[in-house]
Amino acid sequence: MRKLAVLVVFLLALGGCDANTPLFEVKAVAAGVPSLAPFFAEDSGLGRDARVRSRPVPSGLQQGDTPGLYGGTEQPKICDVERLKRFLTAPRNAGKARAWAAALELRTDRIPGYLDRLTPVLLRHDTLALNHDYKKGKAVPFRALLQAGIAVLVDEKGLPSVKCSCGNPLRPFEGDTSRISVTFEDGNEKWQGYDRSEVVVVRPASRELERIALVDVEDAERGIQRPVGTTGEADSDFDATKRRAVPRLAGTTFAEASRRLSDAGLAVAYGGEGLPPDRARVVSTEPGAGAELPFGAYVTVRVATTPPALPAPPAGSGTPTSAGPTGVRPTEAGPTSGGPTSGAPTSGGATSQEPPSQRPRSSTAPSSGPSSSSAAPPGSGSPGSGSPATSAAPPRSSAPPATTSSPPTDTGTDTPPKATGEPPRTPSPPPQTTSSPPRATSPPPQTSGSPPQTTSSPPPATTTPASSATP
């Protein structure tokens, strides 16, 4: 009973934390309703909204080049860009021009050129944006939900930038769209057909657009191609009922897939949280390549989950660490003398460290073998075999000669091997080698027989290196 009470208190605490999470206050802006604090007088005819019902979408995030995201009409003058330009460049409106430009992060002398690159369109979806009122000489931002049918100017990447009827600047909405609280006030009554699940946020296209594919809001079978930076005088029509084939997209990046679909007159849908990175690799689409769909139809794109990158093998390495034989200890100059350079990668640390594999060997297996094999994962740069080396693999710059099968020159007092190639006969244990490998300038004696046994017994069978697993 006591445990149950604790659990109930814990759940109530969690619920209280979630309930106290602040919501994003959003003001509804209805089509045709004048702004209370406009940059430009609404009754001057700067822009004209239309009556459009918001359309459902598979995802709340839409890219600016989505075909059919915006609409148009046969009457192209939905926004008088030249009039807005004259107003903002007039000396008497210099204060408003400075506030307007600051909201869009522009200099006032860049306003005319900026307006020349904008394109008038009609919203076909209830759209979230950061709107601005003009109050006390400043642009005051507020989160807004713009009703479908509002006329806006969009930039070269399809982002809403200006509300036409009042000239108020717009910026992209930032925030959690699932935690918005929309208020309908100041004449902006809840419009018919409003559905929170159909609200969209526009994200910039992955490229600058040359033209925008619109749908006539009065005739859905008529498509409109509008060149960017024009106001409708250069429009061309196309048949919006003509079906379009889904291009082959597997193996391309998400950005490239979006461009190809847009060029084909199709829209991108993605089922994950937010849009994937532009470089994400496409693995499949639904429907698949070759399927024919109407203009503006959505194609679901699936991308691969990028696995963590494995470290590259060191330069000059023949095989990764996993290629080394299990439980075999390399020798200084045995028949497998390539081990120090190909059986383990370089440590990646300082190259001035003395090669541990050249230290005097003991007749028993070192106790540090297991710990060194479990200190780092395969391919991490640590030695991967049961070698006596305990800290790092020998630097390649000080490795012993890899092409000889003879032992290094003996530095002890025993009789050196004769020139006839017979190996020295030593009843005592092998001499202790020096702490550094023999120099390549001192060639070893040529021997035709087997080299003297310079290593002790292999390590116990229980010493299994971690690098024997495939990286």
Side-chain angles (χ1 to χ4, degrees), residues 233-251:
E233 65 280 358
D235 287 358
S236 59
D237 297 354
F238 65 89
D239 185 2
T241 64
K242 182 180 178 180
R243 302 183 76 82
R244 289 148 169 80
V246 177
R248 188 174 299 277
L249 302 175

Side-chain angles (χ1 to χ4, degrees), residues 19-433:
N20 292 331
T21 303
L23 298 176
F24 292 100
E25 190 72 21
V26 176
K27 295 181 179 180
V29 178
V33 177
S35 171
L36 297 181
F39 274 78
F40 197 93
E42 297 250 9
D43 57 359
S44 60
L46 179 63
R48 183 174 60 255
D49 297 337
R51 187 178 298 274
V52 177
R53 185 185 179 92
S54 183
R55 301 172 61 84
V57 290
S59 171
L61 290 178
Q62 299 291 307
Q63 292 181 291
D65 59 350
T66 301
L69 177 63
Y70 301 117
T73 66
E74 290 184 351
Q75 300 175 353
K77 282 291 184 180
I78 58 175
C79 192
D80 194 337
V81 180
E82 288 300 321
R83 192 168 186 177
L84 178 61
K85 186 190 302 184
R86 290 195 301 268
F87 176 83
L88 291 173
T89 55
R92 67 179 182 275
N93 298 322
K96 283 189 176 182
R98 285 192 297 270
W100 192 92
L104 295 171
E105 299 180 354
L106 295 173
R107 295 200 326 241
T108 53
D109 61 340
R110 300 286 180 89
I111 291 177
Y114 177 76
L115 289 173
D116 288 340
R117 298 191 300 271
L118 302 183
T119 309
V121 298
L122 294 170
L123 298 179
R124 295 185 72 210
H125 309 277
D126 295 341
T127 304
L128 288 167
L130 187 67
N131 200 354
H132 295 77
D133 279 336
Y134 182 71
K135 296 179 178 180
K136 298 181 179 180
K138 296 182 179 180
V140 180
F142 66 95
R143 298 180 182 90
L145 176 63
L146 306 180
Q147 184 185 3
I150 288 179
V152 297
L153 292 172
V154 298
D155 65 11
E156 303 104 312
K157 292 193 173 183
L159 288 176
S161 300
V162 180
K163 186 174 182 290
C164 288
S165 63
C166 58
N168 290 6
L170 302 173
R171 298 297 301 273
F173 178 88
E174 300 293 342
D176 187 355
T177 58
S178 66
R179 298 197 60 78
I180 62 173
S181 176
V182 182
T183 58
F184 296 83
E185 58 186 9
D186 298 329
N188 297 281
E189 298 179 358
K190 183 177 293 187
W191 47 83
Q192 184 178 3
Y194 167 72
D195 187 341
R196 179 172 170 174
S197 65
E198 296 177 3
V199 171
V200 304
V201 174
V202 182
R203 292 290 179 247
S206 60
R207 56 175 173 173
E208 289 191 356
L209 307 178
E210 296 181 358
R211 61 184 58 87
I212 301 176
L214 311 175
V215 173
D216 192 330
V217 296
E218 298 173 353
D219 182 5
E221 296 182 355
R222 174 177 175 262
I224 303 172
Q225 288 282 9
R226 179 166 295 171
V228 170
T230 65
T231 59
E233 65 280 358
D235 287 358
S236 59
D237 297 354
F238 65 89
D239 185 2
T241 64
K242 182 180 178 180
R243 302 183 76 82
R244 289 148 169 80
V246 177
R248 188 174 299 277
L249 302 175
T252 65
T253 63
F254 180 76
E256 178 64 21
S258 299
R259 288 192 290 267
R260 292 188 187 182
L261 286 172
S262 177
D263 292 341
L266 300 174
V268 177
Y270 180 70
E273 290 289 336
L275 295 175
D278 285 347
R279 298 178 63 184
R281 190 67 54 181
V282 176
V283 295
S284 65
T285 61
E286 180 61 38
E292 294 189 348
L293 303 172
F295 172 78
Y298 285 86
V299 177
T300 301
V301 176
R302 298 182 178 88
V303 300
T305 302
T306 305
L310 295 175
S317 172
T319 56
T321 55
S322 61
T326 303
V328 177
R329 190 187 321 182
T331 62
E332 280 96 352
T336 58
S337 60
T341 58
S342 63
T346 59
S347 63
T351 57
S352 62
Q353 184 179 357
E354 195 173 84
S357 61
Q358 302 299 324
R359 295 172 183 165
R361 303 179 185 270
S362 173
S363 60
T364 60
S367 60
S368 60
S371 61
S372 64
S373 65
S374 61
S380 64
S382 299
S385 67
S387 170
T390 60
S391 58
R396 292 190 298 109
S397 60
S398 62
T403 58
T404 177
S405 60
S406 301
T409 304
D410 189 5
T411 59
T413 58
D414 294 326
T415 304
K418 297 181 179 181
T420 59
E422 296 180 1
R425 304 177 181 277
T426 57
S428 59
Q432 302 295 325
T433 61

